[in-house]
Amino acid sequence: METPNPLMPNVCYPLGLRSIPRAVTLYDLVPRRMPERFQKEWGSVLWRDYLARCDDLAAQGCQLLAISAATAKDFGDLYPSVARQIQIATLASDYSLFWPYIQGDKLSNPPYILYAGGFDPRKNMDNALRAFAAFARTRQSETIRFKVICAYDPASHNHYRALAQELGVADRLDLLDTLRRTNSAFYSGVPVFFFLSVPL
């Protein structure tokens, strides 16, 4: 059995199924590292399920694949008995979206910084906008924009717009829906892709 992301509550993971070989992909352990942000939001039932999944993955006979050294270390710190069994398997990119074109006339005009995020604490959206605002203050004469691709609801949209206004970059922010993720020109034309790690 292989499951791509067993720690997400919307992914089916059969607890206790240890009679067959299992391979799982670990994306992050952010909820375990930041329980004060996730436990209350998820509620007690989902939180207990999440902890049970973590414990189950650390059981004998489960092949653990981590997408980064940081994720491998986080899981190994929580479960030292399996730390040496975790293999790092970084994610691959889709060449149809990220083909390395020769720079020059392929780049956008005006230029923009692209950030693919989401309104979840692990995506660090507010600090990404603060970082852009600090950068924009050093480029007052330029027309560089900040384009953010993510799913959002009206409350998240309004919050981000208000923060951009507060930071003085509302006129440079483009908050875009996730449909842009499939547009190859949108990626190949960007001079800078920015992705901020969550602070732990």
Side-chain angles (χ1 to χ4, degrees), residues 26 57-66 69 71-88:
L26 301 171
L57 297 179
Q60 193 73 21
C62 186
Q63 177 61 59
L64 301 170
L65 306 172
T71 295
K73 181 181 184 308
D74 284 346
F75 200 85
D77 288 347
L78 289 166
Y79 301 98
S81 64
V82 298
R84 293 187 178 185
Q85 301 171 27
I86 304 171
Q87 295 183 350
I88 299 172

Side-chain angles (χ1 to χ4, degrees), residues 128-149:
L129 187 58
R130 291 186 182 99
F132 173 75
F135 171 76
R137 283 193 290 273
T138 69
R139 301 289 191 276
Q140 291 292 341
S141 62
E142 299 178 22
T143 57
I144 193 161
R145 302 190 64 77
F146 189 47
K147 295 183 183 285
V148 179
I149 304 175

Side-chain angles (χ1 to χ4, degrees), residues 23-200:
V24 299
T25 305
L26 301 171
Y27 282 79
D28 65 60
L29 274 294
V30 174
R32 284 294 294 270
R33 297 291 304 275
M34 304 174 73
E36 69 285 352
R37 294 196 182 189
F38 288 88
Q39 188 171 358
K40 183 177 180 181
E41 180 181 334
W42 285 2
S44 60
V45 173
L46 282 181
W47 186 250
R48 284 197 304 270
D49 178 68
Y50 175 78
L51 297 180
R53 290 178 186 221
C54 288
D55 291 345
D56 198 70
L57 297 179
Q60 193 73 21
C62 186
Q63 177 61 59
L64 301 170
L65 306 172
I67 66 164
S68 69
T71 295
K73 181 181 184 308
D74 284 346
F75 200 85
D77 288 347
L78 289 166
Y79 301 98
S81 64
V82 298
R84 293 187 178 185
Q85 301 171 27
I86 304 171
Q87 295 183 350
I88 299 172
T90 55
L91 300 176
S93 61
D94 182 346
Y95 272 13
S96 69
L97 296 179
F98 303 100
W99 189 258
Y101 290 111
I102 297 173
Q103 292 188 354
D105 60 357
K106 298 285 187 184
L107 294 180
S108 64
N109 187 20
Y112 57 90
I113 295 173
L114 179 62
Y115 182 76
F119 288 96
D120 179 295
R122 74 186 79 195
K123 299 301 182 184
N124 213 351
M125 291 275 286
D126 288 3
N127 281 335
L129 187 58
R130 291 186 182 99
F132 173 75
F135 171 76
R137 283 193 290 273
T138 69
R139 301 289 191 276
Q140 291 292 341
S141 62
E142 299 178 22
T143 57
I144 193 161
R145 302 190 64 77
F146 189 47
K147 295 183 183 285
V148 179
I149 304 175
C150 68
Y152 53 82
D153 57 25
S156 299
H157 180 275
N158 293 340
H159 161 78
Y160 215 56
R161 283 281 171 204
L163 181 59
Q165 187 72 39
E166 177 187 324
L167 296 169
V169 293
D171 60 333
R172 296 191 186 206
L173 172 66
D174 297 317
L175 190 55
L176 308 168
D177 61 43
T178 54
L179 293 178
R180 296 296 184 100
R181 290 184 188 275
T182 60
N183 186 333
S184 61
F186 195 68
Y187 291 96
S188 61
V190 63
V192 177
F193 176 76
F194 176 59
F195 191 77
L196 185 63
S197 295
V198 66
L200 295 175

